[in-house]
Amino acid sequence: MSVRTRFAPSPTGYLHVGGARTALFNWLYARKHGGQFILRIEDTDAARNTEEARQAIFDGMSWLGLDWDEGPDSGGDLRSPSSSSSYYQSQRKPIYDAYFEKLLAADRLYKDGDATRFRFDRKPITMHDLVCGEVTIDYRDESNTPDMVVKRSDGSYVFHFVNVVDDLEMKITHVIRGEDHLMNTPKHLQLIEALGSQPPQYAHIPLILNPDGSKMSKRDAGAAVGDYPRQGFLSEAVVNFIALLGWSSKSDEEIFTLTELIDRFSLEAINRAPARFDIEKCKWVNQQHIAKISTEKFADLAKPFVEAEKLPITENYAAVIAAVKEKVRLLTEVPAAIDFLITDTAAQDAEAVAKAKGNPNSAFLPMLADHMATLTDWSADIAKEAIASVAQANGAKPGQLMFPVRVALSGRAHGPDLGDVFVILGKERTLARLRSF
Ligand code: GLU
């Protein structure tokens, strides 16, 4: 039987990291096993659903590269073995009604006021979760497990019922979802048994905690997937980072492309312990991905950020961008990392400037400029040799001149390799900045 997984978000807020991780794990499992990944929108709570939230799910998943085989706008209905024509729960009421009739025929429903309750089978129910292991709920203890409402007095069905019906109808083989649903699962098994069907396999993935140990909430920084693109993250880095929330490769390796993740992913390697969300780690992962991509791709991705800061895309943009590729963690850091290479009016770091001006080796800068002025060729090596010979002539070490030279050229204490700076600025601008410092 071919693997079929699903992501079943409720469109009530934005797509958050926890939801994206659920989507990713289901997607990875389906892709790894050559199965299908289904997107189902659990939009039965009309009062809380919004069009923006629905759009945020689509946008977030597309940005992350998580395509679905069946779901809204995919025409998946044609490939689906189910009779349904919709992947929106709000449009599947006739299907739920039919299943409700089945439970009625099986004598498992009874009226309680205007609501309808499902009669639990009074026996222990044990589930074998692929991550959490065996979990048993003893339904003989009626006071702890009262029969559950499946249809409310207003005629609407509860989450447990529609969720189970859809998993059966859509022939889902593996339900991978957050641990907050673990204790719901025995209820789902009760319903499935009463409907005379076989349950899917379940894998409940660990909670995500903030670095301080508190449960991550929708308001925490980094919670909204939609914020990541404008904060300068690469989608493949975010996917990689999200994969590491509760899963590890069981090796020292942590940096993976989506294709590598498909190859490595397994449910067995999901941790039981809660995952720690650390945005600094995400920035580090981002830096690793920036280092891995081609300079062309990096230049393209960085361009909108550079333009947003009103910096011109100069003729030597490719060389400028290459100089900082291994230096930045986020695309948003690119403008401030390259501005001094592009304009003469970039903001300076006052502290670094003051420190360099107070450095006795700054006295050699005019001499260095004079020496460089005599050079007929210009390259990183030639410029560095010039520093070495001026240092030597003054009884200093070349390294001692590097700091004032860097600050004179860039206005800051850190930045790209000085050799790159010499080449990109060219001889004339290098001399001018050394002289005017
Ligand atoms: N709509 C439910 C949620 O977002 C789906 C739970 C499930 O995956 O079964 O929590």
Side-chain angles (χ1 to χ4, degrees), residues 6 8-10 40 42 159 163 167 175-177 180-181:
R6 88 307 193 266
S10 304
R40 177 172 86 222
E42 302 212 326
F159 156 74
N163 182 269
D167 284 343
V175 169
I176 304 166
R177 61 187 174 191
D180 46 330
H181 288 292

Side-chain angles (χ1 to χ4, degrees), residues 1-5 29 167 171-175 199-202:
M1 190 164 67
S2 142
V3 164
R4 289 172 63 81
T5 63
Y29 194 75
D167 284 343
K171 303 209 167 8
I172 301 304
T173 60
H174 295 76
V175 169
Q201 289 196 273
Y202 293 93

Side-chain angles (χ1 to χ4, degrees), residues 310-430:
K310 308 264 183 293
L311 286 170
I313 303 296
T314 48
E315 218 181 304
N316 63 350
Y317 176 64
V320 167
I321 212 80
V324 299
K325 185 162 175 283
E326 314 247 315
K327 304 285 175 184
V328 296
R329 295 188 304 167
L330 299 168
L331 296 172
T332 46
E333 293 170 5
V334 171
I338 64 170
D339 56 1
F340 75 95
L341 295 169
I342 297 179
T343 81
D344 289 323
T345 53
Q348 304 213 323
D349 172 356
E351 205 181 309
V353 170
K355 207 172 148 200
K357 292 214 169 171
N359 184 316
N361 296 304
S362 284
F364 305 129
L365 295 182
M367 226 179 290
L368 177 63
D370 289 345
H371 181 73
M372 283 178 164
T374 66
L375 299 171
T376 47
D377 281 334
W378 187 252
S379 73
D381 287 345
I382 290 170
K384 283 179 179 172
E385 274 166 32
I387 293 176
S389 73
V390 169
Q392 203 180 18
N394 291 282
K397 293 204 179 79
Q400 294 175 303
L401 254 68
M402 294 299 186
F403 177 69
V405 168
R406 173 178 290 287
V407 178
L409 297 183
S410 72
R412 19 213 114 131
H414 308 282
D417 180 77
L418 262 187
D420 291 337
V421 175
F422 287 128
V423 172
I424 291 168
L425 289 179
K427 186 173 154 186
E428 294 315 315
R429 281 209 284 172
T430 298

